[in-house]
Amino acid sequence: MQLNIQQRIEIAEAICRKQSVKLTPLRKMLLEILYEQAIPLTAYELLRLMREHNPKTEAMTVYRILSFLEEHQLVHRLHSCQAYAACNMPEHEHHAQLLLCEKCHRSEEIATPALKQSIDTILKEHSFCFSRKSIEIFGICQSCIA
Ligand SMILES: [Zn+2]
Ligand SMILES: [Zn+2]
């Protein structure tokens, strides 16, 4: 089921309400920008797009909003490309797993329990403490192959 931007914003608002935090107009604007663009965006690109709506937006504001949205699992930070992708399933408890196309730069969020289980097993075997960053899998997406 494909949700439209308005429906996704409503879900985000409900999540914030549940956690007793507010989706302020600027937080909402940034989230809308990410929902509109199908590709992950860097903080700099987000700043540029935010300024189109609100010319006085400062870089620090964008960083603060991003860390808020990340904390509440509304966006995922992609460490390999310094970009942010909107979460596709913010209402579910999950660890972010993303497929990233090297050609069109689209990201697709997946939630594969087997992947999570394998990682948990590896972590246990190696007594390795995971920093809860997103799992990023690079390749070429279906529409770019075709
Ligand atoms: Zn997610
Ligand atoms: Zn692609």
Side-chain angles (χ1 to χ4, degrees), residues 4-5 23 47 57-58 94-95:
N4 66 33
I5 292 172
L23 196 65
L47 175 63
T57 310
E58 308 227 22
H94 66 285
H95 185 267

Side-chain angles (χ1 to χ4, degrees), residues 101 103-106 140-141 143-144:
C101 178
K103 231 168 156 177
C104 67
H105 305 290
R106 280 173 192 273
I140 307 291
C141 78
S143 43
C144 287

Side-chain angles (χ1 to χ4, degrees), residues 19-135:
Q19 299 179 64
S20 308
V21 291
K22 274 197 99 161
L23 196 65
T24 61
L26 282 177
R27 288 169 177 170
K28 198 163 142 182
M29 189 192 291
L30 193 147
L31 211 48
E32 274 167 353
I33 291 170
L34 272 177
Y35 290 158
E36 278 163 19
Q37 317 276 328
I39 60 169
L41 297 171
T42 64
Y44 181 79
E45 288 163 336
L46 282 163
L47 175 63
R48 191 176 52 77
L49 292 165
M50 289 280 282
R51 280 186 173 155
E52 284 178 11
H53 300 278
N54 192 342
K56 285 195 214 128
T57 310
E58 308 227 22
M60 264 318 291
T61 311
V62 171
Y63 281 111
R64 266 202 300 267
I65 295 171
L66 284 169
S67 80
F68 170 87
L69 295 174
E70 199 188 355
E71 189 188 327
H72 297 282
Q73 202 179 274
L74 293 166
V75 304
H76 296 302
R77 179 144 136 221
L78 309 178
H79 295 265
S80 52
C81 50
Q82 305 292 325
Y84 295 82
C87 179
N88 275 344
M89 44 200 113
E91 63 273 52
H92 300 296
E93 179 78 42
H94 66 285
H95 185 267
Q97 307 166 352
L98 295 119
L99 301 177
L100 301 166
C101 178
E102 290 169 346
K103 231 168 156 177
C104 67
H105 305 290
R106 280 173 192 273
S107 68
E108 188 185 342
E109 186 162 349
I110 53 168
T112 308
L115 180 57
K116 168 87 169 67
Q117 281 156 18
S118 304
I119 288 169
D120 286 343
T121 308
I122 296 164
L123 296 176
K124 217 167 162 189
E125 277 171 11
H126 295 265
S127 303
F128 194 80
C129 185
F130 193 44
S131 58
R132 293 198 54 82
K133 287 179 177 167
S134 49
I135 296 159

